[in-house]
């Protein structure tokens, strides 16, 4: 049997030997949803960087780089855009390389880099992600990016959606966090938007006037691409 | 409104300003269940210590100290007992001071000591704990001791049971972890033993032949005492 584990916060990543897993990084509102959408829409690559300054440094490297920086839910001043999925349309990103730094998602990505493989998950690519994961013969760790190193509901619900698909294969042993995520997903699945409306982050995003981003990020199977980390770049698998 | 937050693992305690909360430490299988039972049964005090060596050092201080040490579910050799609740009966602990070190529970206690108050929760004292908490005018942080710094189901289910009682007072704002714990509790409440039978730790304890300890720790309202940390000693509130 293989392991199907859920890491509920980046602060807990050090408890896992990530090199023994395929890691799926999850930041539903909004980084990994936007990354899935951007790669689907023809972005050549998305480069996740930890710091705003690192992102800014790409400005000198040429016009093929789009610079995206988000902190606390807003676009950082002076940058091309943040992590709203509506900035990752074909018109904007096809053929371009996006350099991206976000509050939570890029942090989780950086902590996961020593994994066997790092891929990106969101409701947008749920089915194609699960189909691919199920064909691998590896342990799987679903890493929730959370909010500022703590637990959040939306990433956990998505982790539960993945567990719900993969457990049908009867080849995985769940840990307690995977069991909890599955139960929470089953609670939420019939009304994702309603359920996630009660999360702290959704309140935060509403205040920023980006409810339409939230609704967009809950579209299941809008895309089929699976972004994968190769070196320091996320590209289409 | 006051905060009602759940910290899902000791590794996440640094994300909270514990000095702004009353902290409830939760280690259902078995440390905090045994502490509640021991204080109810007349133990003068229970002294939680982090290390086995610290515990052993009390041997020289006199016969009024009982030394309890558990690691990975078993009594450490040479100690009087571990953290099975059946070691905390009136016959064994009345009038005595127990010096206790456990894998998870004492760790969570030590990280919580700067809180406004630190009290001990378990299914054994659920109602009296919630009645007391609800009368305080303070933020509440429910700290799950978890398993080796990671998430576990049994502590989260108990946190959810507390959230379920306190939210009826309409004076608390829940964080995402409190919402998740509440939902998991609602999933588990009609068959606690069955639900927790699927946890990783319960499997671990079954292998050690201590199923009767598990069943005992799920007794709701067997006791009314609330252990509170005063200095370095847990005593009856």
């Amino acid at each position: 049997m293989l392991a199907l584990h859920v890491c509920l916060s980046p602060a807990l990543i050090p408890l896992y030997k990530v090199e023994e897993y395929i890691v799926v990084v999850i930041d539903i509102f909004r980084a990994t949803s936007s990354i899935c959408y951007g790669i689907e829409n023809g972005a050549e690559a998305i480069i996740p960087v930890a710091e705003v300054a690192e992102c800014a440094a790409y400005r000198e490297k040429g016009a093929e780089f789009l610079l995206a920086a988000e902190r606390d839910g807003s676009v950082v001043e002076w940058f091309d855009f943040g992590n709203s999925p509506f900035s990752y349309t074909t018109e904007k990103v096809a053929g371009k390389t996006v350099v991206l730094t976000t509050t939570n998602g890029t942090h989780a990505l950086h902590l996961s880099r020593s994994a066997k493989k790092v891929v990106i998950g969101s409701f947008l690519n749920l089915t194609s992600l699960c189909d691919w994961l199920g064909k691998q013969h590896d342990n799987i760790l679903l890493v929730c990016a959370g909010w500022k190193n703590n637990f959040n509901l939306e990433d956990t619900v998505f982790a539960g959606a993945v567990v719900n698909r993969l457990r049908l294969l009867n080849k995985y042993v769940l840990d307690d966090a995977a069991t909890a995520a599955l139960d929470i997903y089953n609670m939420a699945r019939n009304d994702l938007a309603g359920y996630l409306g009660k999360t702290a982050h959704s309140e935060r995003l509403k205040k920023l006037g980006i409810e339409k981003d939230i609704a967009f990020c809950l579209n299941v199977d809008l895309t089929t691409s699976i972004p994968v980390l190769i070196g320091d770049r996320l590209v289409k698998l």
Side-chain angles (χ1 to χ4, degrees), chain A residues 17 21 33 46 49 53 61 78 81 106 122 127 129 164 182 185 204 212 222-223 228:
Chain A
K17 292 179 182 158
Y21 298 87
S33 302
I46 295 178
V49 298
K61 298 195 183 177
W78 186 83
F81 47 88
T106 50
S122 71
T127 296
L129 174 73
N164 185 52
L182 176 62
Y185 169 68
R204 216 175 283 125
K212 67 182 194 343
L222 193 70
T223 68
V228 60

Side-chain angles (χ1 to χ4, degrees), chain A residues 183-196:
Chain A
D183 285 343
I184 293 171
Y185 169 68
N186 279 325
M187 210 95 175
R189 60 190 296 174
N190 291 325
D191 179 18
L192 276 183
Y195 186 85
L196 293 176

Side-chain angles (χ1 to χ4, degrees), chain A residues 45-158:
Chain A
I46 295 178
I47 305 179
V49 298
E51 300 298 330
V52 172
E54 249 178 295
C55 189
Y58 276 83
R59 180 69 82 203
E60 294 166 14
K61 298 195 183 177
E64 72 273 28
F65 293 106
L66 290 172
L67 308 193
E70 171 267 353
R71 281 296 179 274
D72 295 341
S74 301
V75 177
V76 180
E77 208 183 335
W78 186 83
F79 284 80
D80 301 333
F81 47 88
N83 64 357
S84 166
F86 297 107
S87 300
Y88 292 76
T89 56
T90 307
E91 297 69 39
K92 290 185 180 152
V93 303
K96 304 272 191 179
T97 294
V98 181
V99 187
L100 170 67
T101 181
T102 72
T103 308
N104 308 295
T106 50
H107 176 58
L109 259 166
H110 276 262
L111 292 174
S112 304
R113 354 187 35 123
S114 58
K116 285 187 174 178
K117 251 196 188 77
V118 179
V119 296
I120 301 295
S122 71
F123 285 106
L124 273 63
N125 71 348
L126 175 63
T127 296
S128 69
L129 174 73
C130 291
D131 287 350
W132 179 80
L133 287 171
K135 284 179 200 142
Q136 312 309 308
H137 304 288
D138 286 297
N139 300 317
I140 296 171
L141 180 62
L142 308 174
V143 172
C144 300
W147 180 256
K148 299 194 172 178
N149 261 335
N150 209 339
F151 174 89
N152 79 15
L153 270 176
E154 63 271 20
D155 297 343
T156 307
V157 166
F158 177 76

